[in-house]
Amino acid sequence: MKSGMGLTKSHSLKRQSLPEALADSLRERILNGEFKPGESLVQEALAEEYECSRMPVREAFRQLEAAGLIVTKVHKGAVVAAMPAEQAQELYELRVNLECVLLEHAIPNMTDADLDASEQVLRELEKAYEERDINRWGSLNWEFHRSLYVPANRTQTLAIVQGVNLQVERYVRLQLLISETFEAAQKEHRALLEHCRARNVEAAVALLKQHIRDAGDSLVSSLEARSVDA
């Protein structure tokens, strides 16, 4: 079915509540770059494309806006959110502060089963890097980090960190694709897991802090360069 936005692809939905399914589908399309920053999302066109009424589309928009992926503008409606370099810098500063606290509290509680689960996720992430499976990079990267933080038993902090990671995921995908820094990311993730296995809190936290800061600096530089080019 062709929509008013020129889209012809039909998107199937999982068996879940319709607004949640719509939000999941639209979130992935934003993250993979199908919808660009500043692009308007038209309720009527999306309702036609997904063969539903506008009401679940509006609810999906509310979920995406709460996640920071779209914004509502006067006379334009829902628009895919852009990320200025200053906002990216702020989000990565939040990551450093919150994720290092989570890891510090998590390591003393980690079991061998926890670490084995992290190992399995890391292998899947490394495979995605090798296969250039862009759509899985962001979610598996977060899943690996999350697996290290869960033993901290700090659910509110973890929820905040997850929201921050979701906002930067689409830019991380693009950044990795352009810079091809897969090898460095793999080495740092491997070293991080080994520090956790050794229960070396100081080394693990120091590496995580540098890992996030380097990623943030690289992303900010990329965004600033794109802004100048534009």
Side-chain angles (χ1 to χ4, degrees), residues 164-213:
V164 171
N165 275 270
L166 179 61
Q167 290 188 58
V168 301
E169 181 180 334
R170 57 188 161 139
Y171 295 93
V172 171
R173 293 187 192 191
L174 177 62
Q175 180 187 357
L176 278 171
L177 187 61
I178 293 173
S179 63
E180 295 193 353
T181 54
F182 314 107
E183 186 175 349
Q186 286 183 24
K187 287 181 178 179
E188 290 172 1
H189 285 149
R190 273 282 154 201
L192 182 59
L193 183 57
E194 290 308 310
H195 288 321
C196 290
R197 285 195 182 279
R199 307 303 196 275
N200 191 333
V201 176
E202 184 176 354
V205 170
L207 177 57
L208 178 63
K209 183 179 295 186
Q210 193 61 50
H211 174 71
I212 297 174
R213 281 179 174 170

Side-chain angles (χ1 to χ4, degrees), residues 27-36 135 170 173:
R27 181 183 297 113
E28 180 57 31
R29 294 171 72 181
I30 291 171
L31 292 177
N32 68 25
E34 182 178 338
F35 296 130
K36 309 297 183 185
N135 292 338
R170 57 188 161 139
R173 293 187 192 191

Side-chain angles (χ1 to χ4, degrees), residues 40-123:
S40 294
L41 300 180
V42 182
Q43 283 188 25
E44 294 81 0
L46 289 169
E48 179 183 355
E49 181 181 354
Y50 284 101
E51 299 180 346
C52 65
S53 69
R54 285 182 291 176
M55 186 176 297
V57 177
R58 284 197 296 269
E59 176 56 36
F61 281 1
R62 281 193 284 269
Q63 294 182 34
L64 295 173
E65 187 165 22
L69 294 179
I70 67 173
V71 293
T72 301
K73 294 188 176 183
V74 178
H75 305 309
K76 291 192 69 174
V79 176
V80 178
M83 181 180 289
E86 297 80 6
Q87 182 180 338
Q89 185 69 55
E90 179 184 359
L91 290 171
Y92 271 85
E93 288 174 0
L94 281 171
R95 284 195 61 195
V96 168
N97 292 330
L98 297 177
E99 293 185 39
C100 287
V101 168
L102 283 172
L103 187 62
E104 182 178 5
H105 285 83
I107 291 176
N109 297 333
M110 287 180 178
T111 64
D112 289 343
D114 292 329
L115 293 163
D116 289 344
S118 297
E119 171 77 33
Q120 182 59 42
V121 176
L122 183 54
R123 288 177 181 173

